[in-house]
Amino acid sequence: MNASAKAIINLDVEGPVISRHLYGHFAEHLGRCIYGGFYVGEDSDIPNAGGIRLDVVEALRALNIPNLRWPGGCFADEYHWMDGIGPRSERPSMVNTHWGNVEENNHFGTHEFMALCELLGAEPYINGNVGSGTVKEMSDWVEYLTRDGDSPMVRLRKANGREEPWTVPFWGIGNEAWGCGGNMSAQHYADEARRYATYCRDHGDNKLYRIAAGASNDDYAWTETLMKAVNCLGCAKEPRGYFQGLTFHYYTVPGPWSDKGSALEFEVDDYYATMVKAARVEELIAGHAAVMDCYDPKKKVGLILDEWGTWWNVEPGTNPGFLYQQNTMRDALVASVHFDAFHRHADRLVMANIAQTVNVLQAMILTDPDSGALVLTPTYHVFEMNKAHQDAASLRVDVASEGTTRTVGEDELDTFSVSASTKDGRALVSLTNLDADSPLEVDLDLRGRAVGGVRGRVLTADALNAHNTADATGVAVQDLDGLAVENGVLRVSIPAHAFVTVELDLV
Ligand code: AHR
């Protein structure tokens, strides 16, 4: 007998709003994310605007990506922004010591990034350099980007062709300060973060949301140290606190760091071990949130997971420093499980950024280095199917399931995951069946509002490691027909290893 589940959704009881920024993205100067991914240069045969690939922009616009983090990652803490402005032919080069030890010509810099954000309709999230930079360098960058009127940095910006200031809402103060961002202790970094944040000024109407570089995985002590450092919350001098958000990073890596496993070749046991790691994100969000609650019960400080996703061994034959990996149905289900956890913690988790958008780690888009062909990954489709959750009110879902728990090593994994939200007279329910082999029958008990039309979509494939290439794009979204609400109950049949969304018109 197949497993079954029942989920009760009160359509008229709205919870916290799911920030659209939970669907954020990340573009680092790493491998072929920027060069060859987003940016090909103006002389490329690939259609572009000022060097930015238009096919990539078009594909990403369909996701409504809310924000884009740049220039790193580890790269952020060795990036000197002044090297990336002015005529491209005159920009100095540097060595990207973190990622492949390759030369970086700085042809993609501040103006190119801001143009990319404008093309995408995404808000910029710029990550400043604490590890090898200076307070003045960061302060000048903020002034260059956001100040109006007349000042040294404004004159420099205008000389480089940009008259008006840009709007930059999100500002990162370093990255992974416990590691590649300077190998600091938590207390040392907390002091530095306050110092840097002090000089990242709000110019004119531009109000910065300053983001402190947070913990790795379950380092709750790091979060506690940062929460003590933000302590001016609500005081007259710094009513918004020194920084407004703090991060943590969590990657889904089932194997040891030295051998993370192949993106494409894995056994069913590896698949389940991956899902256990993916589901753990909820424990980590809850853990960091609990620490924050002790110091900030009114939830003024946002928790931000600005790097998440799968991290596999690089594809054979590719540069180990470029972190290029394929992307399968397994990756798509990692994403859908993460989003359910994000939705459930929308009261504290205000932003999340998948690592990374193009050609690096769990990418939405892969581009061929030779032909330039663009491929949409299974993960891309999860982002697209879920986009109506952005800025929707979360709906609590109560689940009773039979036979959806399985033992994986020493862990228990629930192979059914679900979340729901409502906006503009509609509700979106996301349902994941993680079982590798068996379909799942789910009865959605829809209470509180009558339901009119129902539309379903499904993402699945024959094999767990099904993926897309330039020649085979079979992992794609299909309509899920035959859905009807009877006596307030909607029965949804979810195939094995599949992700389903159901959109309901509320009457
Ligand atoms: O996303 C790749 C790298 O992972 C980032 O540069 C760094 O912040 C993290 O360790």
Side-chain angles (χ1 to χ4, degrees):
M1 198 178 89
N2 288 336
S4 63
K6 176 178 172 181
I8 301 168
I9 306 178
N10 291 301
L11 296 165
D12 58 342
V13 184
E14 298 186 3
V17 169
I18 296 167
S19 170
R20 66 183 181 281
H21 292 294
L22 294 177
Y23 286 80
H25 283 260
F26 177 26
E28 181 166 9
H29 287 238
L30 194 178
R32 295 189 298 107
C33 182
I34 297 293
Y35 301 107
F38 278 109
Y39 185 81
V40 284
E42 286 170 316
D43 297 335
S44 172
D45 292 338
I46 296 172
N48 68 81
I52 296 168
R53 282 184 74 140
L54 289 173
D55 54 354
V56 168
V57 167
E58 185 186 350
L60 292 175
R61 281 188 71 89
L63 303 184
N64 292 352
I65 83 171
N67 71 73
L68 184 62
R69 178 176 181 238
W70 172 86
C74 293
F75 182 77
D77 279 296
E78 64 177 357
Y79 181 64
H80 299 283
W81 69 272
M82 284 224 185
D83 294 347
I85 56 172
R88 291 194 194 109
S89 59
E90 295 171 20
R91 297 184 192 175
S93 294
M94 64 175 284
V95 177
N96 189 336
T97 60
H98 280 293
W99 305 120
N101 238 3
V102 293
E103 195 163 331
E104 157 71 53
N105 63 16
N106 277 307
H107 282 192
F108 188 93
T110 298
H111 291 249
E112 290 78 14
F113 174 66
M114 297 306 291
L116 172 61
C117 287
E118 282 172 4
L119 287 169
L120 292 172
E123 293 185 274
Y125 170 8
I126 293 186
N127 210 125
N129 177 348
V130 170
S132 69
T134 64
V135 173
K136 177 174 173 8
E137 182 182 13
M138 195 185 290
S139 176
D140 282 348
W141 201 5
V142 175
E143 180 184 323
Y144 184 91
L145 282 155
T146 62
R147 193 175 172 90
D148 204 355
D150 192 30
S151 79
M153 288 302 119
V154 172
R155 286 194 287 279
L156 183 58
R157 184 187 72 226
K158 289 182 177 176
N160 287 329
R162 172 76 187 196
E163 205 52 34
E164 299 299 318
W166 288 283
T167 299
V168 180
F170 303 113
W171 196 270
I173 301 167
N175 168 72
E176 296 195 349
W178 39 264
C180 65
N183 287 307
M184 300 178 212
S185 69
Q187 189 57 57
H188 180 74
Y189 171 72
D191 293 339
E192 289 291 308
R194 280 167 65 137
R195 191 164 72 97
Y196 274 77
T198 302
Y199 299 97
C200 293
R201 305 290 191 194
D202 289 338
H203 293 286
D205 293 337
N206 194 76
K207 296 279 176 283
L208 285 182
Y209 189 92
R210 298 169 191 79
I211 298 169
S216 171
N217 301 330
D218 59 357
D219 185 353
Y220 301 127
W222 186 283
T223 296
E224 180 159 28
T225 304
L226 288 187
M227 288 308 294
K228 287 179 182 166
V230 77
N231 66 4
C232 206
L233 266 185
C235 75
K237 190 164 163 287
E238 296 287 350
R240 295 175 70 221
Y242 296 110
F243 36 84
Q244 291 71 51
L246 60 85
T247 69
F248 79 104
H249 289 175
Y250 177 63
Y251 284 96
T252 298
V253 189
W257 197 249
S258 54
D259 181 10
K260 305 173 199 72
S262 162
L264 287 179
E265 288 167 26
F266 55 89
E267 305 297 327
V268 74
D269 286 351
D270 301 321
Y271 164 79
Y272 282 121
T274 304
M275 293 309 157
V276 167
K277 286 288 170 93
R280 189 167 178 240
V281 74
E282 181 142 23
E283 172 200 321
L284 298 183
I285 297 168
H288 289 291
V291 174
M292 295 173 79
D293 284 349
C294 296
Y295 295 87
D296 174 32
K298 292 187 178 158
K299 302 188 195 301
K300 289 184 177 176
V301 182
L303 179 62
I304 294 164
L305 175 57
D306 61 358
E307 291 187 26
W308 67 273
T310 54
W311 193 323
W312 308 118
N313 295 337
V314 299
E315 286 306 309
T318 64
N319 186 326
F322 281 14
L323 309 188
Y324 177 80
Q325 63 188 41
Q326 249 295 357
N327 191 295
T328 68
M329 260 318 291
R330 175 174 64 164
D331 296 84
L333 300 180
V334 166
S336 65
V337 166
H338 273 68
F339 283 128
D340 289 339
F342 295 173
H343 300 160
R344 281 191 283 272
H345 293 272
D347 59 339
R348 178 66 83 175
L349 192 73
V350 298
M351 187 192 289
N353 302 71
I354 189 153
Q356 298 188 7
T357 312
V358 188
N359 287 335
V360 169
L361 298 177
Q362 190 174 348
M364 311 300 103
I365 291 174
L366 303 175
T367 65
D368 189 287
D370 301 318
S371 68
L374 175 152
V375 174
L376 303 181
T377 67
T379 300
Y380 173 96
H381 295 300
V382 174
F383 274 72
E384 191 278 322
M385 292 167 78
N386 256 4
K387 68 184 177 185
H389 287 302
Q390 295 186 22
D391 288 338
S394 56
L395 292 169
R396 178 172 152 172
V397 185
D398 291 297
V399 176
S401 49
E402 282 176 30
T404 63
T405 305
R406 75 182 285 134
T407 303
V408 181
E410 295 180 355
D411 296 291
E412 297 285 300
L413 173 71
D414 193 339
T415 54
F416 175 47
S417 181
V418 56
S419 65
S421 71
T422 183
K423 183 175 70 176
D424 301 335
R426 291 196 176 136
L428 184 70
V429 186
S430 297
L431 307 116
T432 301
N433 177 16
L434 294 178
D435 196 291
D437 304 307
S438 304
L440 176 68
E441 297 284 313
V442 180
D443 280 347
L444 293 178
D445 186 345
L446 303 168
R447 301 181 182 178
R449 300 274 300 265
V451 174
V454 182
R455 293 165 295 281
R457 302 170 80 201
V458 58
L459 180 73
T460 192
D462 290 346
L464 295 170
N465 69 348
H467 56 281
N468 290 332
T469 65
D471 304 319
T473 55
V475 187
V477 185
Q478 312 284 333
D479 287 339
L480 190 66
D481 297 324
L483 296 175
V485 179
E486 284 179 30
N487 300 320
V489 175
L490 174 65
R491 172 156 293 193
V492 186
S493 300
I494 315 177
H497 56 265
F499 176 58
V500 164
T501 53
V502 177
E503 190 180 52
L504 311 168
D505 296 329
L506 305 182
V507 182

